[in-house]
Amino acid sequence: LTIVGRTISGIVDIGNLILVFLIGNNIYKKRLGVLSALFYAVAVMPIQQSHFFTTDTYETFFILTTFLLLIAFIKTRSPLINSSLSVFIGISMGLALASKMSAVVFGGVIGLALGMKFIQQLKKMNIFRNIFYCLDFSFLIGLTTYLFFRLFSPYIFLNSSWLDITFNPGFIDALNFQRLAISGEVMFPPQWNWVDTTPYLFPFSNIIIWGIGIPLGIMVILGLLWFIYEQILFLKYHYKLQQLLIPLTSPLLLAFIWIIADFLYRGGNFIKSFRYLLAIIPFLMIFASLGIYQLQKVNKKVFYAVAMAVFLPTLLWAIAFTSIYTRTTTRVAASEWVYENVPSSSTIANEHWDDAIPFKPNAPAPVEYPNRVELEVYIPDDEQKIPYLFEKLSQTDYIFITSDRARKNIGELTDDFSVMVEYYKALDEGTLGFTKATVITSFPQLLGIEIDDSEAEETFWVYDHPGVRIYRKDRQLSEREFTCVLKKGDNIWNDQKQLCDGVSFP
């Protein structure tokens, strides 16, 4: 299923690339399509998502399709053609919702497009006829959205009657849980990734630095600022109602509002993964192209020089990032190392909420290593945590940390997980009786130069290129020694390497 899903994701993202081209060519008086598609093709964030079986790429495809139809809807003057377009807009929006429920936010953009159509028609028909047409379009969009959403997500509803819109209680429960998780009202292990992250700044910096790259990110910001400046400049000299129809019915304004609205909606939540903002990336590429196109007014040579200065570094970052897909996945490479170096009679420990190793890909689960321990590292750091860790590690010959998911989250939260902060530190220092046997990494790489992206948001590296650390037991600590290492406030070595009132280590 995952292989089929990933294949479809790749195909769908090629569709996104084509849609970016079509939207870019129709959204503005300049033909931005080629440059926008070129930037999207080398942007790392869509490339990575097209390698995953997640629903964000599918949602993006149908949002882009809906937006392209909205451009035609705004530009078309014929009520009959607009009625037909309304049906297709509803179909596409229904499929977007069936892909991912959060696409409901894009409904606001459809509402704005309907408002633009109302403003646009003020000058050619009376207000009552105008209201009738807009209500007609709204009805067609709403009806077809419901029909296709229901057709492709039937399990969301309680029964099979299309006239009964009662939701399945299980769906409501799942939706409520997601809402509570996104707001941070409930906590479970992956949630700790978002503690102490700054709303808006965290997803913004991750998109700019890692998702699309700094040169392209700078041009996106300049393009957005230029659009704001252009609108202010237009309003300065065109303030009559008829003149205002031009900026108020611009598809580019619709794209700008979508970017801002979606970022404000998602970027301020407790969970603020920049993966959730994938649907604004194509539009950011359009505004980056808009910024560069303004340079044609200065000099064509400057235009081409800046375009290449933005494109080439972005391309190199994409080449570096996709190099991770040319190497053996770290957990598979680590499994191979384990089979070669760790006796099958050993007791091995894996952290829960992470992928356990060793395993053999494309083969039945191995019978080797029957002695396994699961380390529940996310349980609260209360008075039972150190005895729990001691009891588990006393049985353990090897510790496998198959990603830095816990190590870089709870391993850095001193206020909430002081024991685990000391635990990961002690593992690296060798003071828990374990030494580092091997570390297997797979960073983006270009011409032999590695780019350490471990400071990016966790979801950027934890799935396709996590670092794997394997620790081997050298000696068994006594419970007192073990407690002295991990007990907060008593675990600082002095010059004589004395610890805990006389407990010393060789």
Side-chain angles (χ1 to χ4, degrees), residues 175-449:
L175 207 61
N176 285 334
F177 178 80
Q178 288 295 322
R179 179 182 57 80
L180 294 172
I182 288 172
S183 65
E185 294 177 60
V186 298
M187 293 294 291
F188 58 103
Q191 297 287 86
W192 292 102
N193 175 49
W194 311 108
V195 174
D196 295 337
T197 54
T198 308
Y200 303 113
L201 181 61
F202 183 79
F204 174 81
S205 61
N206 273 277
I207 288 174
I208 298 299
I209 297 172
W210 306 109
I212 60 178
I214 294 174
L216 185 52
I218 291 172
M219 194 49 62
V220 165
I221 295 169
L222 292 176
L224 290 168
L225 291 175
W226 173 262
F227 174 75
I228 294 171
Y229 168 75
E230 195 175 49
Q231 299 308 299
I232 293 172
L233 194 65
F234 185 90
L235 293 174
K236 183 178 179 181
Y237 299 104
H238 305 83
Y239 43 82
K240 293 182 179 179
L241 180 61
Q242 194 166 6
Q243 295 171 328
L244 289 176
L245 293 177
I246 298 173
L248 289 178
T249 58
S250 164
L252 198 61
L253 176 62
L254 208 60
F256 179 82
I257 291 172
W258 164 240
I259 291 170
I260 301 302
D262 198 47
F263 183 75
L264 290 176
Y265 171 70
R266 301 181 201 268
N269 293 323
F270 175 74
I271 295 181
K272 52 190 79 68
S273 175
F274 71 130
R275 172 171 69 87
Y276 296 163
L277 289 160
L278 184 66
I280 71 171
I281 298 299
F283 299 94
L284 294 181
M285 301 302 98
I286 290 169
F287 279 95
S289 302
L290 176 65
I292 291 177
Y293 262 99
Q294 306 312 314
L295 297 173
Q296 283 187 323
K297 300 174 184 177
V298 180
N299 186 290
K300 280 202 171 183
K301 289 183 179 179
V302 174
F303 162 73
Y304 286 117
V306 172
M308 292 303 293
V310 173
F311 173 75
L312 286 178
T314 311
L315 172 64
L316 292 175
W317 172 222
I319 293 171
F321 184 81
T322 53
S323 71
I324 67 172
Y325 302 118
T326 67
R327 298 186 291 271
T328 302
T329 305
T330 49
R331 291 185 178 111
V332 174
S335 295
E336 293 170 353
W337 186 94
V338 170
Y339 286 122
E340 292 173 4
N341 296 277
V342 178
S344 59
S345 59
S346 303
T347 300
I348 60 176
N350 282 280
E351 294 182 337
H352 75 324
W353 281 93
D354 216 335
D355 291 346
I357 61 169
F359 60 86
K360 293 180 178 177
N362 303 319
V367 296
E368 298 93 334
Y369 307 98
N371 304 318
R372 293 179 179 241
V373 171
E374 184 178 60
L375 292 175
E376 298 190 30
V377 295
Y378 289 96
I379 60 175
D381 275 18
D382 54 22
E383 65 277 2
Q384 299 301 318
K385 188 66 169 283
I386 293 177
Y388 166 80
L389 290 173
F390 177 77
E391 187 268 329
K392 292 290 185 181
L393 296 184
S394 295
Q395 311 167 31
T396 301
D397 299 309
Y398 287 85
I399 301 173
F400 301 154
I401 298 178
T402 63
S403 81
D404 282 342
R405 162 169 275 175
R407 188 172 176 271
K408 290 188 71 67
N409 294 331
I410 62 174
E412 295 179 358
L413 297 174
T414 306
D415 292 339
D416 297 292
F417 289 94
S418 59
V419 171
M420 295 311 299
V421 171
E422 301 304 325
Y423 168 79
Y424 288 111
K425 188 188 302 181
L427 278 180
D428 288 334
E429 293 173 351
T431 54
L432 271 183
F434 289 82
T435 57
K436 197 180 295 178
T438 187
V439 177
I440 298 173
T441 59
S442 180
F443 293 118
Q445 192 176 107
L446 185 67
L447 301 176
I449 301 171

Side-chain angles (χ1 to χ4, degrees), residues 73 78-88 133 136-137 140:
F73 178 78
S78 166
L80 181 61
I81 296 176
N82 274 329
S83 294
S84 301
L85 285 170
S86 296
V87 172
F88 287 111
Y133 275 124
D136 175 48
F137 301 146
L140 288 172

Side-chain angles (χ1 to χ4, degrees), residues 10-30:
I11 295 169
V12 165
D13 203 49
I14 293 172
N16 290 341
L17 184 62
I18 296 169
L19 287 166
V20 170
F21 168 76
L22 294 173
I23 291 171
N25 271 5
N26 288 279
I27 200 171
Y28 190 61
K29 58 189 175 184
K30 304 287 186 182

